[in-house]
């Protein structure tokens, strides 16, 4: 898998830079999406282990815009569901157990469910829900309802388990940094696609590697005070340092048809390569920028297309990791800021609250978990009341999959759910 | 750190305009001169190109219209003598972020652009009234699907959260009331069975039977509010002036406004919602030219590209290279990542965006470099106070072309 070329590149790069600079810089660097805790108020770093036990990887797939959980996991026997949804009700779900079914665009997930590798968690939300995308996203990212100016839940795990140690311990795959990975000291690389961190240099540049090495050298100048310029230099040095290792891990560029570029299939192709690479050992892959699930309008077709994309991409991903012998090392989990309003607005659904989520992988305890939403007892805005706190989902994977002290990461104890096979 | 007069002059042009404007900086005596030059709107505005309304939805989706628009707009960013106008056109596009990805028709994005351009330095009140029934916005935030009996809250929520009041000043009931007030507007897409002959193709049309004409209570104001009435309620709320003024302050000064500043700028703005008057109030604050403000922002990929174009471009492929570079950085005009607009600040320092900064170097024409050394390259980018170690590193590296690629990615150029 590893061509000789990246090795040469790396050697030249290290000579040009001085390895210590990169490591020190990486330690000081963090993308402060929400600003930082005052040092005094920062909680003690939670204990945790990294690499995760047995090289495990948690893959989070964020369904941006608010996924309609009710039409993904369909309570097809519920008269209330059909009343509320009218023509938007899914009439041909793939039945799971006579009570709930998956959207017909999810055939391979349904097959995987029958194999016991899908845990469906119904009713996931948080108290006093905020219907704003941005407020609700902040809540899901931080793991702390109503939080402003805080780190991400996985960023705090990184701070404790990894610190500034390895910028590739958690990797965001998507259009930009993932706020859920923002830590105080930890640093998570973002890749958009399988090119990793390779610049598309102008034709008049002969040697991109030399260019990047010289660039890192420019960033090595000492800074006298904690200025923005200093943080920019840190970012440059850390980027240059991460570049070569990623190039080795991702291997030679594969053709991705332009139509799929940026799509979930391409993101999960990157995820599979990173899971299988011996050069990196990412404990967390955070896939975001998937979809616009904000289906206020034209929902039937749009939602079906998005779920179809999820189904196909997950099937390819699990095929790839199974072929590489890593099926038991990956756990996929969905996230989304909220579900949709219980009632249809005619052609779509407005912002809602609680929704179903999925955990997929050989290690899950398959079946339906949580409690179905009560569609006869809506809040005054017409939304169902959550039955599972999303932090229970987080606590379950932190504790059961990443081997972390979930209470320390989440700032309090939350019930874990029996979503994973024991051991 | 105390900056040189040249660096502080450049700072003013970077903030009040869209690029580095190094050529202009060289002709100015200092920051005060630069402020006067940047706010000077006596030069006549450039005439935007004509764009024919497409005959139907399918033919509306074409790259030709995007090219026409971008050639004009990006050209204006790099070359217009009306600096503050281009800064504000971009600010309002970012503020009223609307994406071609959902709107689909570049023609409608162009109409919105012309609306923003018309009001950019003028009245925010008029701009907001226009945006509330702007066809591209009606499609982007689902206003066109918002009708009596099937209220769609998307625009009603975002107009308060993002465009006017900011969070914390309205309730969920206000969201519903606003959405009902805005109901009834559609876009007259030509070539469809329900297209109207009496209205212009692609125009916003008010359809009375789709409007919820009932009484609403919006932010304490009760009445049979329609779209214009709801906009007036939002403009009458003190949070609107403060929210928008503080955002523009942050954009121009590069630092957050403190509470007294926020309050006083909000009061200034609310008087008549003159955007130019607000800009003048912000630049009159000593903070604007203070050393703390210089280089306090991360230079956006767009600002980086415009600065390179101003300093070095001129070859035939520059326009294409510009858009390719911006695409790699996720910073293409008309393609904001979401309704909150383009990322800014330290979010722009992620490794992907940083490494693809080298893509932007393709904008430059190395034949125009001669044997320029590091200091000269930086000067052409409007950057003056450079660490001697950075310059030394640059001068010891490669040929002029590689030096250029490094200069436009140097930490000193990544801040603005």
């Amino acid at each position: 898998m590893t061509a000789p070329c990246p090795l040469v590149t790396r050697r030249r790069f290290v000579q040009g830079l001085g390895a210590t600079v990169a490591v020190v810089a990486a330690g000081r660097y963090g993308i402060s999406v929400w600003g930082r805790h005052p040092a005094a108020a920062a909680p003690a770093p939670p204990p945790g282990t990294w690499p995760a036990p047995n090289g495990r990887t948690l893959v989070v797939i964020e369904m941006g815009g608010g996924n309609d959980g009710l039409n993904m996991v369909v309570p097809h026997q519920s008269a209330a569901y059909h009343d509320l949804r009218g023509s938007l009700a899914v009439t041909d779900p793939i039945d799971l157990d006579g009570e709930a079914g998956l959207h017909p665009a999810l055939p391979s997930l349904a097959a995987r469910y029958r194999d016991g590798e899908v845990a469906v968690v119904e009713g996931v939300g948080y108290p006093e829900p905020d219907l704003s995308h941005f407020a609700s996203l902040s809540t899901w990212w931080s793991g702390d309802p109503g939080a402003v100016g805080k780190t991400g839940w996985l960023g705090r795990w990184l701070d404790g388990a990894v610190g500034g140690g390895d910028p590739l311990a958690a990797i965001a795959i998507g259009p930009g940094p993932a706020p859920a990975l923002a830590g105080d000291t930890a640093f998570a690389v973002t890749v958009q696609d399988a090119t990793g961190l390779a610049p598309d240099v102008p034709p008049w540049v002969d040697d991109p590697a030399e260019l990047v090495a010289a660039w890192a050298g420019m960033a090595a100048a000492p800074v006298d005070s904690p200025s923005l310029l200093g943080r920019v230099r840190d970012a440059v040095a850390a980027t240059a340092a991460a570049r070569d290792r990623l190039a080795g891990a991702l291997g030679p560029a594969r053709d991705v048809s332009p139509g799929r570029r940026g799509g979930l299939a391409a993101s999960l192709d990157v995820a599979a390569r990173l899971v299988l690479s011996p050069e990196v050992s990412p404990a967390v892959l955070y896939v975001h920028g998937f979809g616009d699930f904000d289906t206020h309008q034209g929902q039937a077709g749009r939602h079906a297309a998005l779920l179809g994309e999820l189904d196909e991409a997950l099937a390819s991903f699990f095929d790839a990791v199974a072929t590489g012998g890593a099926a038991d090392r990956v756990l996929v989990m969905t996230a989304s800021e909220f579900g949709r309003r219980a009632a249809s607005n005619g052609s779509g659904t407005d912002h809602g609250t609680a929704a179903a989520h999925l955990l997929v992988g050989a290690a899950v305890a398959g079946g339906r978990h949580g409690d179905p939403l009560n569609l006869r007892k809506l809040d005054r805005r017409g939304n169902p009341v959550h039955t599972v706190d999303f932090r229970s989902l987080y606590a379950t994977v932190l504790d059961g999959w990443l081997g972390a002290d979930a209470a320390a990461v989440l700032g309090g104890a939350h019930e874990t759910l029996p979503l994973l096979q024991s051991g | 750190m105390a900056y040189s007069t040249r660096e502080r002059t450049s700072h003013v042009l970077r903030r009040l305009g869209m690029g580095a404007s190094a050529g202009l900086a060289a002709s100015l005596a200092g920051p005060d001169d630069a402020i006067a030059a940047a706010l000077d709107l006596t030069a006549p505005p450039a005439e935007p190109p004509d764009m024919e309304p497409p005959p139907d939805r399918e033919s509306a989706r074409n790259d030709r219209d995007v090219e026409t628009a971008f050639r004009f707009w990006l050209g204006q960013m790099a070359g217009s003598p009306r600096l503050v106008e281009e800064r504000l056109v971009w600010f309002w596009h970012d503020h009223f972020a609307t994406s071609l990805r959902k709107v689909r028709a570049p023609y409608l994005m162009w109409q919105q652009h012309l609306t923003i351009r018309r009001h950019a330095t003028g009245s925010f009140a008029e701009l907001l009234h226009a945006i509330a029934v702007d066809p591209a916005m009606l499609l982007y935030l689902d206003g066109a699907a918002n009708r009596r009996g099937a209220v769609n809250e998307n625009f009603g929520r975002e107009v308060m959260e993002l465009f006017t009041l900011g969070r914390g000043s309205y309730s969920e009931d206000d969201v519903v009331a606003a959405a009902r007030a805005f109901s009834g507007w559609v876009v007259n897409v030509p070539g469809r069975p329900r297209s109207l002959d009496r209205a212009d193709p692609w125009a916003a049309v008010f359809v009375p039977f789709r409007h919820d004409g009932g009484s609403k209570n919006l932010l304490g104001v009760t009445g049979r509010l329609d779209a214009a009435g709801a906009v007036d309620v939002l403009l009458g709320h003190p949070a609107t002036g403060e929210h928008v003024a503080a955002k523009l302050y942050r954009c121009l000064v590069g630092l957050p406004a403190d509470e007294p500043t926020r309050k006083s700028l909000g009061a200034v703005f609310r008087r008549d919602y003159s955007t130019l008057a607000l800009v003048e109030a912000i630049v009159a604050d000593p903070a604007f030219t203070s050393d703390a403000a210089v280089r306090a922002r991360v230079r956006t990929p767009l600002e980086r590209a415009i600065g390179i174009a101003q300093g070095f471009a001129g070859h035939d492929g520059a326009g294409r290279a510009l858009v390719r570079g911006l695409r790699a950085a996720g910073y293409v005009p008309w393609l904001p990542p979401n309704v909150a607009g383009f990322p800014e600040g330290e979010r722009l320092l992620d490794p992907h965006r940083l490494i693809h900064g080298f893509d932007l170097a393709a904008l430059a024409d190395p034949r125009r470099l001669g044997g320029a050394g590091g200091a000269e390259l930086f000067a052409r980018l409007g950057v003056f106070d450079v660490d001697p170690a950075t310059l030394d590193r640059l001068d010891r590296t490669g040929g002029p072309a590689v030096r250029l690629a490094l200069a436009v990615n140097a930490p000193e150029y990544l801040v603005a």
Side-chain angles (χ1 to χ4, degrees), chain A residues 2-418:
Chain A
T2 308
C5 185
L7 293 175
V8 172
T9 302
R10 181 185 309 164
R11 196 172 312 126
R12 184 181 288 162
F13 160 74
V14 171
Q15 285 165 355
L17 168 61
T20 39
V21 174
V23 173
V24 169
R28 283 170 49 204
Y29 174 58
I31 298 168
S32 50
V33 175
W34 293 307
R36 286 155 190 271
H37 287 295
T49 55
W50 182 84
N54 310 318
R56 287 170 173 179
T57 304
L58 171 68
V59 182
V60 182
I61 299 178
E62 187 176 287
M63 303 161 92
N67 174 44
D68 186 8
L70 269 182
N71 274 11
M72 179 173 78
V73 179
V74 182
H76 54 78
Q77 293 304 304
S78 158
Y81 169 75
H82 291 278
D83 291 348
L84 288 160
R85 284 301 170 90
S87 63
L88 267 191
V90 174
T91 53
D92 52 347
I94 309 170
D95 183 43
L96 299 179
D97 55 7
E99 198 175 294
L102 291 181
H103 191 286
L106 299 169
S108 23
L109 261 174
R112 206 167 282 281
Y113 181 91
R114 284 190 290 275
D115 292 341
E117 297 195 351
V118 177
V120 171
V121 192
E122 291 176 69
V124 182
Y126 62 94
E128 294 173 48
D130 192 311
L131 302 194
S132 148
H133 287 293
F134 310 102
S136 213
L137 277 170
S138 288
T139 292
W140 274 76
W141 288 337
S142 64
D144 188 358
V148 181
K150 289 207 68 174
T151 47
W153 68 287
L154 289 166
R156 288 195 299 280
W157 173 75
L158 278 169
D159 281 339
V162 186
D166 183 353
L168 300 177
I171 299 171
I173 304 171
L181 300 181
D184 268 327
T185 57
F187 159 86
V189 158
T190 306
V191 298
Q192 286 196 338
D193 53 39
T195 59
L197 293 174
D200 188 6
V201 297
W204 38 265
V205 170
D206 297 327
D207 186 347
E210 186 186 13
L211 187 66
V212 174
W215 185 50
M218 280 168 72
V223 193
D224 47 2
S225 59
S227 62
L228 177 63
L229 186 63
R231 293 197 295 282
V232 170
R233 285 179 176 162
D234 288 353
V236 167
T239 296
R243 173 186 171 271
D244 290 312
R245 283 183 61 210
L246 263 178
L250 288 168
R254 268 184 234 164
D255 280 341
V256 180
S257 66
R260 308 187 81 183
R261 192 170 294 164
L264 185 67
S267 295
L268 287 185
D269 173 54
V270 170
R273 294 190 207 197
L274 293 171
V275 165
L276 298 174
S277 165
E279 318 217 2
V280 295
S281 184
V284 177
L285 297 173
Y286 199 98
V287 178
H288 65 134
F290 168 40
D292 183 357
F293 282 86
D294 195 17
T295 48
H296 287 275
Q297 182 262 329
Q299 168 163 328
R302 287 169 61 198
H303 195 233
L306 287 164
L307 293 181
E309 188 180 350
L310 174 71
D311 195 65
E312 278 183 40
L314 274 177
S316 307
F317 172 75
F318 278 105
D319 281 353
V321 294
T323 304
D328 56 346
R329 290 199 285 116
V330 293
L331 174 67
V332 170
M333 165 187 167
T334 61
S336 192
E337 63 262 41
F338 43 59
R340 318 280 321 164
R341 195 72 46 88
S344 158
N345 69 16
S347 78
T349 46
D350 289 318
H351 300 182
T353 53
H357 283 276
L358 306 173
L359 260 68
V360 191
V364 307
R368 288 171 63 210
H369 300 264
D371 286 308
L373 295 167
N374 183 347
L375 297 180
R376 290 283 181 216
K377 201 180 159 201
L378 304 175
D379 69 17
R380 65 182 197 88
R381 298 180 317 218
N383 284 309
V385 179
H386 76 286
T387 57
V388 173
D389 193 298
F390 75 114
R391 288 164 292 188
S392 281
L393 216 56
Y394 288 180
T396 304
V397 297
L398 284 166
D399 179 89
W401 188 252
L402 294 174
D405 178 349
V409 172
L410 297 174
H414 291 275
E415 186 192 359
T416 58
L417 306 168

Side-chain angles (χ1 to χ4, degrees), chain B residues 39 65 72 101-102 118 169 171 200-201 226 235 246 263-264 275 293 304 308 318 321 339 348:
Chain B
L39 300 187
D65 288 348
F72 172 74
R101 210 167 273 129
K102 182 159 174 185
R118 195 156 46 241
S169 297
S171 70
D200 287 340
D226 59 7
L235 288 167
K263 284 261 183 297
S264 73
T275 300
R304 292 173 64 189
I308 298 169
V339 62
L348 294 172

